Every structure is written in C-alpha cells, then in structure tokens.
Amino acid sequence: DAGVTQSPTHLIKTRGQQVTLRCSPKSGHDTVSWYQQALGQGPQFIFQYYEEEERQRGNFPDRFSGHQFPNYSSELNVNALLLGDSALYLCASSITGTAGGYTFGSGTRLTVV
Amino acid sequence: AQKVTQAQTEISVVEKEDVTLDCVYETRDTTYYLFWYKQPPSGELVFLIRRNSFDEQNEISGRYSWNFQKSTSSFNFTITASQVVDSAVYFCALSTNGGSQGNLIFGKGTKLSVKP
C-alpha cells in the first residue's frame, strides 16, 4: 500500500520564479495538508484541502496557493519566489471524520537562489 | 494562543541509555490531540503516537513510553535502552481541530543522537 508520494524530490529555482509541487495521498485518504519546514524548525501549516476546496489556511501570503483534484491529489503553487521560501515542503494526507491521524510524505526540498 | 515548546534542542546519549524528550503545550481548548513524530534524515515524518485530552493514561509501546500530564501541560516521551537507529529529530505537535483534520502545531523539535 503506497503511502504519500511527493514530486519532485528536490528543486532549485531562481528568485521571482514560480513553482508547482505535487502530492498523491495515501490510498483511501481524502484530505491533503501542506506544511513548510525551514531548516532547523518544526513544520508550519500552509493550508488544507478537502472536497477540492481550501478548508483551512495558515499564516502564509497569497503567493501560496493550491489545488485538489477529483482523485484527491493536490498541488502547491508558489509565485514570485523569495529566498526565504527555501524549505522542505511536506504533504500530509488523512481521512476527514476519522481518528486515523495524518500520514506524511518525504517532502520536496526547494532551494531558491 | 496555541503553542508547543520543546526546550531541548539537541540531546546526545550513548547506546543503551534511557532518554526523555520534553514537550510542553499551551491551549485554551478543552478538547485537543497531542502527537509525537520522528523525522529521520530522509525527511518523512513518522507517526509515533496520538493522545486526546481526555485520556491521561500513560502508554508504553516496546521501548517507547509517553507521560501525559494535563496539570503541567506536558506530554513527555521516553526511549528506554536507546539504539543508534533512534537517532533522528523528534517533534511534538498539537491539534485542536480533531485527529485527522485541521492543522498540526509543531514544536521546533529535539535532535537525538545515539552513539554506539
């Protein structure tokens, strides 16, 4: 049973560019959350998608946007990249309405130069 | 405000020693969930345990044990007879939206190094 799959694994972008990160949730999971983890810090919640809509959002600017597809997979888009956006981006999936908890992927390491 | 504090940034022990990782949380909600995750160098967050605020029973799972005390807002994690494979960053997290929805609030993590 595949867990959460994220792509790409690593990415290098230039300031001002745009980036799209992808996440496939664990089989049977319908909810996807995205987290940003800066070096040496704990993950910070960006937003959560359920039924193809953003259900909850953390304290991140509008440059961060997302999407959830009918097959529950999700994308995270970041526009106008800043050096400070360099981080590990983690995707977590879960089943809304259950106590099953969250399953995390291995993340995408984004470096902005 | 909701907050998780892991005061220990790094801990280094020798194999077979016992080690306790501290976690203190803040929330005004009466219903909440507490989590511990392990993050090896590969980056994936590995789920270890989830407790809800109504269950203060301590739990033991193999070499791992957890001490949840609402009176001190603490949820500490002990590894008995540590092994080199336990080396990782450990995160404590809090959720007030339920166990599978809403956001997790993480501490800054404790890096555990177990030396042979």
Side-chain angles (χ1 to χ4, degrees):
Chain A
D1 179 23
V4 177
T5 304
Q6 292 188 243
S7 63
T9 307
H10 295 85
L11 202 53
I12 299 175
K13 288 287 190 178
T14 304
R15 274 179 301 174
Q17 284 189 316
Q18 180 263 345
V19 68
T20 297
L21 310 182
R22 295 176 176 82
C23 173
S24 293
K26 183 176 179 180
S27 178
H29 285 194
D30 58 9
T31 303
V32 173
S33 304
W34 287 93
Y35 289 81
Q36 180 195 65
Q37 186 179 14
L39 201 60
Q41 301 294 316
Q44 287 197 307
F45 176 73
I46 303 174
F47 43 52
Q48 183 179 83
Y49 277 84
Y50 173 65
E51 293 187 337
E52 300 180 49
E53 292 198 358
E54 183 183 290
R55 173 161 66 183
Q56 190 174 351
R57 187 178 184 93
N59 188 24
F60 278 80
D62 291 345
R63 297 188 298 109
F64 289 77
S65 63
H67 189 77
Q68 185 180 35
F69 299 94
N71 66 352
Y72 307 118
S73 66
S74 176
E75 288 182 349
L76 164 65
N77 300 295
V78 187
N79 293 323
L81 284 167
L82 304 174
L83 295 179
D85 295 331
S86 295
L88 179 67
Y89 288 84
L90 293 164
C91 173
S93 71
S94 57
I95 305 174
T96 287
T98 72
Y102 305 87
T103 301
F104 281 84
S106 296
T108 294
R109 172 73 62 186
L110 173 65
T111 302
V112 182
V113 298
Chain B
Q2 294 159 353
K3 187 179 178 181
V4 174
T5 302
Q6 296 180 253
Q8 305 149 309
T9 305
E10 291 192 43
I11 299 176
S12 183
V13 299
V14 176
E15 208 170 17
K16 298 185 182 177
E17 281 187 28
D18 298 347
V19 58
T20 295
L21 308 182
D22 298 332
C23 172
V24 174
Y25 62 93
E26 296 176 31
T27 180
R28 291 181 180 176
D29 289 52
T30 55
T31 302
Y32 52 88
Y33 291 79
L34 295 165
F35 301 76
W36 275 95
Y37 284 89
K38 173 182 180 180
Q39 188 175 43
S42 61
E44 180 179 351
L45 284 168
V46 179
F47 169 79
L48 297 177
I49 190 172
R50 176 184 65 248
R51 300 298 287 220
N52 70 53
S53 51
F54 300 107
D55 184 1
E56 283 193 78
Q57 276 194 336
N58 293 330
E59 182 160 336
I60 298 175
S61 176
R63 297 185 297 108
Y64 296 168
S65 62
W66 290 270
N67 184 325
F68 177 25
Q69 292 194 341
K70 288 176 74 171
S71 61
T72 57
S73 298
S74 65
F75 186 42
N76 297 336
F77 173 33
T78 297
I79 302 174
T80 303
S82 60
Q83 299 176 1
V84 173
V85 293
D86 295 328
S87 297
V89 181
Y90 290 85
F91 290 97
C92 180
L94 166 71
S95 171
T96 59
N97 307 98
S100 59
Q101 61 192 68
N103 60 304
L104 290 169
I105 300 161
F106 286 86
K108 291 188 175 182
T110 298
K111 183 178 181 180
L112 174 65
S113 298
V114 182
K115 303 188 185 308

